[in-house]
Amino acid sequence: MVPFAGWDMPVQYQGVIAEVKAVRGDAGIFDVSHMGRLSIHGAGAASFMDSLVTFSVMTLATGRARYGFMLSDNGGILDDVILYHTQFEDGSDMLRLVCNAGNRDAVKAWMAQQSQAFRGVTVIDHTADTVLVAVQGPRALDIVDGLCPDEPKPSALRPFGAAPFPLTVGDGAVAEGFIGRTGYTGEDGVEIAMEAAYGGRLWEALAAAGATPCGLGARDVLRLEAGLRLHGSDMDLTTTPLEASLERFVNMDKGIFHGRDALELQDEDGLRRKLVGFRMLGGGVPRHGCDVLYEGETIGEITSGTYSPILDTGIAMGYVSAEHTAPGQRVHIDLRGRLVEAEVAELPFYRRPKSQ
């Protein structure tokens, strides 16, 4: 167990490699209750959130979710978020926002500041009174379906679909879980939000059904193999979505949002640096902070690195000057004074088989 953004978090249960293989080949569960969970409602909730994120909220259908960014006015990434459009029991609209644990206070403060221009919008923090459990892997949906006593089953959700479902959580108890077909591993699966009182029993029910408990170590390897960025390492307030090679999650056609003008200006001026993937050609594992060199000159820095069980080699992501981003470009990475050859690689490093 280690401290992580104010929470005690497990690094591993049976071992990082074993847990990675369980998720890639079967199913794993992750306690991700440290992630921030906010609800936004009121007559102007959609317009309010549309002004804060890089994707269109006005066209987000009920029961759907989208991934994108909250930006500062200079285009820096305050956080990457998922927003769900759902409803109260009376049929009125509600938006659910999931943000990163370390950014929850900053996100809430930014939202509070910007909400002053939107009357009737209420933001409530549900992080402390709910849990969030991710179930990921080829068998994840079968396991979650087995806990659902009603029809339709959670597997009926499309990717980035979301809805409430009753789940059996042991001792005959049934509790409502808000389930989104989302994740952070590159595998199919869901994330389940539920009242905190049922969290332990939900975890035990999933484990009893065959899901392998997994910790932060496996989660980091899985997300890096899948080319998924980590806020605080691969992107932050000093980087923009364009530099992070995530422009596909920015809808420049939707209208005004914070940071838009800065992105337009950066696009006109051209990027000086960009995030790319690296595959090691020599031995060793790259880590955050390692320099990237080309013909003896430093051209960038690693932001995330690990050993990939799938590729059986070291992999990494990092920023390099724009002229060195072509896939196949040979570089060297400084591993504590030892220069090891690597090549720029297309992201993601891993894609799940289409048969899954």
Side-chain angles (χ1 to χ4, degrees), residues 289-293 298 300-302 332-335:
C290 291
D291 286 338
V292 181
L293 298 93
T298 299
E301 183 178 271
I302 298 301
H332 285 88
I333 298 178
D334 187 345
L335 303 184

Side-chain angles (χ1 to χ4, degrees), residues 37-56:
R37 292 175 294 288
L38 312 176
S39 66
I40 308 99
H41 36 92
S47 297
F48 168 56
M49 290 306 300
D50 199 58
S51 73
L52 294 185
V53 296
T54 59
F55 51 85
S56 175

Side-chain angles (χ1 to χ4, degrees), residues 25-88:
D26 190 56
I29 45 175
F30 302 81
D31 181 0
V32 289
S33 301
H34 60 296
M35 302 290 285
R37 292 175 294 288
L38 312 176
S39 66
I40 308 99
H41 36 92
S47 297
F48 168 56
M49 290 306 300
D50 199 58
S51 73
L52 294 185
V53 296
T54 59
F55 51 85
S56 175
V57 179
M58 309 308 292
T59 61
L60 182 59
T62 303
R64 302 294 297 162
R66 282 186 180 144
Y67 170 85
F69 308 100
M70 273 191 187
L71 304 180
S72 66
D73 286 328
N74 66 6
I77 301 174
L78 174 65
D79 202 13
D80 61 325
V81 301
I82 294 180
L83 188 71
Y84 301 83
H85 182 188
T86 184
Q87 292 181 327
F88 289 105

Side-chain angles (χ1 to χ4, degrees), residues 14-276:
Q14 58 177 296
V16 173
I17 300 300
E19 292 164 22
V20 168
K21 290 181 177 179
V23 174
R24 291 283 182 243
D26 190 56
I29 45 175
F30 302 81
D31 181 0
V32 289
S33 301
H34 60 296
M35 302 290 285
R37 292 175 294 288
L38 312 176
S39 66
I40 308 99
H41 36 92
S47 297
F48 168 56
M49 290 306 300
D50 199 58
S51 73
L52 294 185
V53 296
T54 59
F55 51 85
S56 175
V57 179
M58 309 308 292
T59 61
L60 182 59
T62 303
R64 302 294 297 162
R66 282 186 180 144
Y67 170 85
F69 308 100
M70 273 191 187
L71 304 180
S72 66
D73 286 328
N74 66 6
I77 301 174
L78 174 65
D79 202 13
D80 61 325
V81 301
I82 294 180
L83 188 71
Y84 301 83
H85 182 188
T86 184
Q87 292 181 327
F88 289 105
E89 290 183 359
D90 64 5
S92 59
D93 286 338
M94 177 175 66
L95 299 172
R96 295 173 180 252
L97 182 79
V98 175
C99 61
N100 283 290
N103 297 330
R104 180 163 58 104
D105 289 342
V107 166
K108 288 167 59 177
W110 181 242
M111 293 174 71
Q113 177 183 342
Q114 302 305 323
S115 67
Q116 296 175 15
F118 294 82
R119 293 185 178 181
V121 173
T122 303
V123 179
I124 302 175
D125 189 344
H126 299 280
T127 309
D129 57 304
T130 59
V131 296
L132 187 64
V133 176
V135 193
Q136 302 283 294
R139 208 165 63 86
L141 290 169
D142 289 341
I143 288 175
V144 177
D145 279 356
L147 300 186
C148 183
D150 296 345
E151 295 288 347
K153 302 292 186 182
S155 60
L157 293 170
R158 291 185 292 154
F160 274 76
F165 291 89
L167 296 176
T168 303
V169 292
D171 301 326
V174 175
E176 183 176 280
F178 181 78
I179 300 179
R181 195 163 178 178
T182 53
Y184 191 55
T185 64
E187 297 296 337
D188 200 358
V190 298
E191 294 174 307
I192 306 169
M194 185 175 282
E195 287 184 25
Y198 295 103
R201 282 187 280 179
L202 172 64
W203 181 270
E204 291 169 358
L206 291 166
T212 297
C214 301
L216 285 176
R219 186 171 167 83
D220 194 53
V221 172
L222 291 159
R223 68 92 188 171
L224 189 44
E225 287 182 338
L228 301 174
R229 285 51 155 181
L230 174 64
H231 195 279
S233 293
D234 308 307
M235 53 189 178
D236 54 30
L237 279 169
T238 70
T239 58
T240 71
L242 307 186
E243 292 172 321
S245 300
L246 294 171
E247 57 274 6
R248 65 189 180 279
F249 298 110
V250 179
N251 183 352
M252 298 297 285
D253 298 325
K254 81 181 186 88
I256 302 301
F257 59 89
H258 287 278
R260 177 196 172 99
D261 291 346
L263 296 186
E264 285 186 334
L265 183 60
Q266 186 179 57
D267 188 47
E268 291 173 4
D269 290 345
L271 297 177
R272 294 179 175 84
R273 63 170 187 161
K274 198 163 187 178
L275 183 139
V276 296

